[in-house]
Structure formats: structure tokens, C-alpha cells
């Protein structure tokens, strides 16, 4: 696991965008997994700029969402794919039929999670995986306790995740209580992984992830066992290391 430290989030976002661009340049036809949350918004701004200036194109790439709220329809404001569309997808040039989203309101959710695994298999696995880290160390919606051999599935969201999601939607009462997520094992098979960690509020969880035990109680610690992982962190985020 490689850790790259920059002065601030601005520098991290530029650097993360250059890493994504380099990956896409060398592997134009792979599946790219992107997260939601506040952390990647600066990365998306940079990627949108690179595409607008014709310095990068996703025209041969595929996009798969990392996680989604269970039962939330595609047009719902809280649908996480909509979040990705607003902040990123609508500004860049993925072909429409290269976009893979969870059908979060599918009648048969087990068939839906198997379909997502089949998509990944059809494309020879995840190429590039971009991650943030949750306040409780969750990866996607793999909450503490997620087995390292888990695959794509439904999961109950923890109180900590509901509280942090309440920041996005105004009130905890409107945060869906279950999610769909690519599994730990599924994520571990990515060819390359970039995790972005910025801000003082992430310093404690980053410290635990790097210095603590590798344990399902802290899903992000699993990154220490994976190949080709880069943590991009700003000075605030490494302030406890
Ligand atoms: P954040 O969320 O980027 O809004 O901090 C990260 C996460 O919960 O995975």
C-alpha cells in the first residue's frame, strides 16, 4: 500500500485526477468504479475539466456505481447514481450503454446483486476502483462486520452511516436504512485502487486503518492486504499518523 501526502484537498484532487487519467489512458476499455459522498466532488470537477479540454475521454470506458440505497427509485433525489450523474457523468463522455447502476427498486434483489457480479465478470473484473472512507471505516456500504469474502449484496446501514448520510439529505429520517454494495471480495479483485482521504475529521479513522489491526470491524483495513492500492491523503488527514 502506497501513501501519497499532499498539502491540501485541492492538491489531492488534482493528483487523483491525474492518476485516473493515466489509468484510463493505459486501460481505456476497463470498468471504473466511482463513489459518491463529499470527498470525490473535487476529483470529479478536475475530471470534468480534463474532458472539457479534450485531455481525457471516457468514450471507451465503463462506469459502475460502488453502492446505492436499497429501494430508492432511479428518479429519486436520494438515488446515488443520480448524485454521480449530477456531479460527474453528465459532464463527461461515457456512452450511455457503458453505464452500470444498481436497480435499487428491483422486485428480486438477489437477482439484481447477481446481475451486478455478472457485469463485473463479463468485463474481466473491476479495472480502477476509487474509494472514500466512511467515518466508521466502511468501504462503499460494507459496514463494520462485513466479511472479507463478501460479494455484492444488501446490507443494513449502521447508525454512524445514517448520521453521516443525514448531512447529504438534511435529516436522518429521510436516509434509507439499507443499502446495496459491491462486496469486500468483489472490491479486492480490482486491478488498481485509489482511496482519497481529506480533512481533519478523517484523521482518526485513517490512523486506525493504517496502524490498527486488519479486521472486518474496520472494513477499510482490508486495503492493507490488497494489491496496487494508493491512499491519497492531505496533511490534515494524516495529522494523527
Ligand atoms: P464523505 O463520505 O466523502 O462524504 O466523507 C465518505 C463515505 O461515507 O464513504
Amino acid at each position: 500500500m502506497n501513501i501519497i501526502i499532499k498539502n491540501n484537498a485541492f492538491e489531492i484532487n488534482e493528483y487523483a485526477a491525474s492518476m485516473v487519467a493515466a489509468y484510463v489512458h493505459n486501460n481505456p476499455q476497463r470498468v471504473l468504479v466511482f463513489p459518491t459522498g463529499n470527498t470525490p466532488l473535487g476529483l470529479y470537477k478536475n475530471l470534468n475539466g480534463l474532458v472539457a479540454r479534450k485531455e481525457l475521454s471516457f468514450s471507451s470506458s465503463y462506469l459502475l456505481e460502488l453502492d446505492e440505497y436499497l429501494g430508492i427509485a432511479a428518479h429519486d433525489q436520494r438515488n446515488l447514481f443520480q448524485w454521480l450523474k449530477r456531479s460527474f457523468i453528465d459532464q463527461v463522455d461515457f456512452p450511455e450503454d457503458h453505464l452500470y447502476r444498481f436497480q435499487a427498486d428491483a422486485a428480486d434483489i438477489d437477482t439484481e446483486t447477481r446481475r451486478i457480479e455478472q457485469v463485473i465478470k463479463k468485463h474481466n473484473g473491476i479495472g480502477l476502483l476509487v474509494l472514500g472512507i466512511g467515518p466508521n471505516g466502511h468501504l462503499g456500504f460494507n459496514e463494520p462486520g462485513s466479511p472479507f469474502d463478501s460479494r455484492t449484496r444488501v446490507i443494513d446501514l449502521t447508525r454512524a452511516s445514517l448520521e453521516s448520510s443525514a448531512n447529504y439529505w438534511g435529516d436522518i429520517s429521510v436516509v434509507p436504512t439499507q443499502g446495496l454494495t459491491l462486496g469486500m471480495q468483489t472490491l479486492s479483485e480490482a486491478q488498481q485502487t485509489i482511496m482519497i482521504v481529506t480533512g481533519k475529521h478523517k484523521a482518526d479513522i485513517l490512523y486506525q486503518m493504517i496502524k490498527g489491526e486488519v479486521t472486518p470491524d474496520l472494513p477499510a483495513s482490508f486495503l492493507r492486504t490488497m494489491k496496487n492500492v494508493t491512499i491519497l491523503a492531505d496533511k490534515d488527514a494524516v495529522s494523527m499518523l
Side-chain angles (χ1 to χ4, degrees):
M1 195 171 75
N2 187 17
I3 305 183
I4 295 175
I5 301 166
K6 299 278 174 192
N7 286 314
N8 49 48
F10 183 82
E11 290 180 17
I12 287 290
N13 293 328
E14 269 189 356
Y15 194 85
S18 70
M19 282 188 79
V20 172
Y23 182 87
V24 171
H25 184 75
N26 294 326
N27 308 272
Q29 294 172 353
R30 297 300 303 263
V31 171
L32 315 172
V33 172
F34 287 105
T36 44
N38 288 324
T39 305
L41 295 178
L43 164 66
Y44 297 151
K45 257 199 182 137
N46 278 277
L47 292 175
N48 298 347
L50 290 175
V51 172
R53 296 193 299 277
K54 304 218 178 311
E55 292 166 33
L56 170 66
S57 173
F58 292 105
S59 59
S60 302
S61 304
Y62 295 81
L63 177 144
L64 170 64
E65 65 175 335
L66 172 64
D67 52 14
E68 185 56 85
Y69 293 121
L70 182 69
I72 297 300
H75 60 266
D76 191 299
Q77 152 91 354
R78 296 163 298 170
N79 185 280
L80 293 179
F81 192 81
Q82 285 294 348
W83 177 319
L84 266 183
K85 264 176 79 66
R86 283 192 298 272
S87 53
F88 178 43
I89 295 169
D90 286 348
Q91 268 67 254
V92 295
D93 60 345
F94 288 99
E96 192 61 36
D97 60 351
H98 285 205
L99 300 172
Y100 294 114
R101 65 189 300 167
F102 285 100
Q103 303 293 328
D105 55 353
D108 180 349
I109 214 67
D110 288 339
T111 302
E112 176 57 12
T113 55
R114 279 198 298 275
R115 181 184 72 84
I116 293 290
E117 287 284 341
Q118 286 303 324
V119 163
I120 295 170
K121 204 163 165 197
K122 180 174 106 186
H123 290 284
N124 298 317
I126 296 168
L128 180 67
L129 168 64
V130 180
L131 295 169
I133 183 171
N136 59 354
H138 70 206
L139 285 186
F141 279 148
N142 289 285
E143 295 282 29
S146 290
F148 289 155
D149 62 358
S150 56
R151 303 212 71 98
T152 300
R153 68 199 188 290
V154 172
I155 189 148
D156 293 335
L157 302 182
T158 60
R159 180 81 199 171
S161 293
L162 296 177
E163 279 169 3
S164 87
S165 289
N167 297 326
Y168 310 145
W169 314 117
D171 193 273
I172 198 163
S173 63
V174 296
V175 182
T177 55
Q178 287 186 300
L180 287 157
T181 187
L182 302 183
M184 297 295 286
Q185 180 75 39
T186 317
L187 297 179
S188 76
E189 291 162 5
Q191 185 188 17
Q192 184 178 341
T193 299
I194 300 171
M195 174 182 267
I196 304 172
V197 194
T198 52
K200 267 220 152 41
H201 62 300
K202 296 286 171 78
D204 181 43
I205 197 68
L206 184 63
Y207 175 85
Q208 291 180 53
M209 170 189 153
I210 290 174
K211 296 288 186 194
E213 264 185 88
V214 174
T215 163
D217 293 341
L218 205 155
S221 65
F222 189 46
L223 260 64
R224 283 161 47 197
T225 70
M226 285 164 47
K227 60 177 180 355
N228 212 355
V229 174
T230 304
I231 311 289
L232 297 180
D234 68 358
K235 281 193 170 155
D236 282 344
V238 295
S239 57
M240 288 177 69
L241 284 172

